[in-house]
Amino acid sequence: MLTSGVFERHRFVTGFTIAACIILVTDLGVGSLRYSRPPAPVPAGVPHEQSYRRANPRYHHDLIPLISEDSAQWGPIRYRVRTNSLGFKDAVARQVVADTARPMVLLLGDSFTEGIGVEFEATFAGRLASLGRQVKLDVLNGAVASYAPSIYWRKVVDLLDRRHVGFAEVVVFIDISDVPDETEYFVDSDTNVQSHWPMSVAGPMVPAHPAAEGGWARTVTWLRRHSFALYSAAAIAKTSLGSGRLSATLPASSGTAPHPCVIPVSHSDSYCRSAWAFDTAAMTSFGDAGLANATRHMSALAGDLRRRSIPLTIVVYPWRQLIVERGRRSIASSRWREWAATERVNFLDLFPAFFALADAEGDAAATDSLGIRGDIHWNERGHAFVEKAFLTAYCSASAEPGFGVRPLARVCRTPPVRDAPRVPER
């Protein structure tokens, strides 16, 4: 009777507690059944962005070679993907063969340079490859989503030393997200790139080689594998608090500052991941540490290429967040300009091209009209814009004294005719 009386007096609390328990048990039960099982293999032809991605023991992750996938999917977009024998996105699944008459130019970057969500021929890398074929150049796109300077460096060394691929020139497109990514990756004692965090299976990358996780990361990982509602609520709460700079400390072994974008919950929070470039709090929180790691690894790459007499060019460009924040004098541009001068590396700044478009036609023209709807990545128009901006900057630099002999400059001296548009295979 006493217990019944307590329930009667606290009817609302009792009902809420019982309902919460039922929801919690159901969530964990259904979530465990749904998520704790290993994912089934992806059947051939099923739309899946991860079907052609894999872990790499030396530089964390890359693409599977010689893939012909007609149903890759990025959001609502289905598109064709082909990779060559090096595991690079290409027009066709082909063997890359060294040919002294056709120097190889390597492009590196992350998902923007990979051209995620856009068929290769329409990406700026594919358009440059098309121009290269007209002047006997093999322009290769070695970019992959979520790459960063540590991976650029180790992948180039692996290609040159272990796979004996000879490049005559390297062009690296530095992304805004390279700085937060460089607080997540580290180079171990065997010079292999590892990650402090388990990678989200919902993202474009595969899970690969996580180091020991901290308490928060372990909690997030456990929720992701055993819950739907709680994990989703945590993700929503973390994203909504992103503007408040809620931080979670990286694993103690990282030696870096707190990172306000906890992986994997906020990996899609583009505002948070770009904030270091225009927000002093974010710069203090993780930008300084990430930028220090990024410049150190880019210096290692520049040194290795210099010793081999392979010219290096770096290219910077803004995210839509910087255009909206009017960050035309962002440290994302100025710091890399300073680094390039110190390392004697060719530096190309595409910020002015984007801001010129914003000044002439408005921010929407320089952001929404160039991007995939609901996404920060470029659409076909955006890639065409980037190709034009890059060639304008590169060809202008190639006319300057001291630029040196660089194979890609062939497209500047002899403007080629574009390949005819390819009819998609069906």
Side-chain angles (χ1 to χ4, degrees):
M1 296 297 294
L2 179 62
T3 302
S4 176
V6 171
F7 287 163
E8 287 292 329
R9 288 195 301 270
H10 301 283
R11 187 174 301 174
F12 176 78
V13 174
T14 301
F16 178 82
T17 302
I18 293 173
C21 290
I22 292 173
I23 292 172
L24 179 62
V25 170
T26 302
D27 177 46
L28 294 179
V30 173
S32 296
L33 289 173
R34 170 63 179 84
Y35 296 112
S36 63
R37 296 174 183 174
V42 180
V46 173
H48 193 65
E49 185 61 26
Q50 293 180 10
S51 62
Y52 59 93
R53 301 177 190 273
R54 66 179 183 182
N56 185 286
R58 298 177 182 84
Y59 47 86
H60 196 269
H61 65 282
D62 61 4
L63 306 182
I64 299 173
L66 300 175
I67 284 289
S68 293
E69 173 60 73
D70 290 329
S71 298
Q73 186 162 2
W74 181 248
I77 300 171
R78 293 191 186 187
Y79 65 112
R80 298 168 64 257
V81 169
R82 302 289 184 267
T83 61
N84 59 36
S85 59
L86 297 177
F88 298 174
K89 280 193 173 179
D90 210 326
V92 294
R94 65 181 176 106
Q95 290 288 336
V96 177
V97 179
D99 183 350
T100 55
R102 298 175 65 88
M104 293 182 186
V105 177
L106 175 65
L107 308 181
L108 283 173
D110 70 350
S111 53
F112 284 80
T113 305
E114 178 193 321
I116 199 163
V118 177
E119 295 203 2
F120 179 79
E121 291 85 352
T123 66
F124 80 82
R127 294 167 70 92
L128 290 174
S130 173
L131 296 180
R133 286 191 290 270
Q134 302 293 330
V135 291
K136 299 187 184 306
L137 285 178
D138 200 354
V139 180
L140 297 165
N141 184 12
V144 177
S146 295
Y147 269 14
S150 53
I151 300 179
Y152 305 150
W153 169 39
R154 297 314 302 161
K155 183 169 186 173
V156 166
V157 171
D158 186 74
L159 288 165
L160 292 172
D161 289 347
R162 189 179 68 86
R163 304 179 70 175
H164 307 292
V165 182
F167 298 109
E169 183 175 0
V170 175
V171 182
V172 178
F173 289 79
I174 303 288
D175 191 69
I176 300 298
S177 66
D178 284 359
V179 165
D181 283 346
E182 279 293 283
T183 68
E184 296 156 18
Y185 297 128
F186 67 97
V187 179
D188 66 17
S189 58
D190 295 320
T191 67
N192 299 320
V193 180
Q194 307 284 358
S195 173
H196 289 296
W197 297 93
M199 307 315 293
S200 170
V201 295
M205 300 190 312
V206 295
H209 320 299
E213 301 174 70
W216 170 249
R218 285 197 299 269
T219 300
V220 170
T221 300
W222 190 89
L223 285 175
R224 188 175 70 247
R225 292 173 179 170
H226 296 84
S227 166
F228 174 76
L230 288 177
Y231 177 72
S232 299
I236 292 170
K238 186 65 186 73
T239 300
S240 64
L241 290 172
S243 59
R245 304 297 177 266
L246 180 66
S247 296
T249 306
L250 282 169
S253 61
S254 69
T256 64
H259 190 317
C261 302
V262 179
I263 305 301
V265 173
S266 295
H267 199 276
S268 62
D269 185 348
S270 57
Y271 181 92
C272 186
R273 290 173 63 77
S274 63
W276 69 272
F278 55 82
D279 183 286
T280 54
M283 187 65 184
T284 300
S285 178
F286 69 94
D288 286 326
L291 194 54
N293 291 343
T295 53
R296 182 173 67 255
H297 293 138
M298 285 300 296
S299 291
L301 171 62
D304 276 327
L305 293 177
R306 192 160 45 242
R307 285 188 290 274
R308 304 166 197 260
S309 299
I310 301 174
L312 171 64
T313 295
I314 67 166
V315 186
V316 296
Y317 52 87
W319 275 17
R320 70 179 312 276
Q321 284 76 16
L322 269 73
I323 296 172
V324 172
E325 296 287 336
R326 311 307 293 171
R328 69 182 70 214
R329 295 182 180 85
S330 169
I331 192 172
S333 171
S334 62
R335 186 64 66 86
W336 286 115
R337 184 185 297 275
E338 295 166 3
W339 175 88
T342 300
E343 293 287 346
R344 305 188 305 279
V345 166
N346 187 35
F347 173 78
L348 303 181
D349 188 353
L350 304 192
F351 275 63
F354 279 87
F355 279 104
L357 180 62
D359 291 341
E361 301 181 24
D363 289 352
T367 56
D368 300 343
S369 68
L370 300 182
I372 295 171
R373 179 175 294 185
D375 191 40
I376 61 173
H377 296 93
W378 298 315
N379 57 22
E380 292 187 12
R381 183 173 183 264
H383 279 277
F385 178 85
V386 170
E387 180 216 17
K388 181 180 179 180
F390 168 75
L391 285 176
T392 299
Y394 184 94
C395 294
S396 176
S398 69
E400 297 293 328
F403 184 79
V405 178
R406 300 191 181 214
L408 192 56
R410 292 182 186 180
V411 301
C412 304
R413 292 191 293 268
T414 309
V417 178
R418 285 203 174 278
D419 290 351
R422 177 188 55 79
V423 177
E425 301 170 8
R426 297 298 179 196

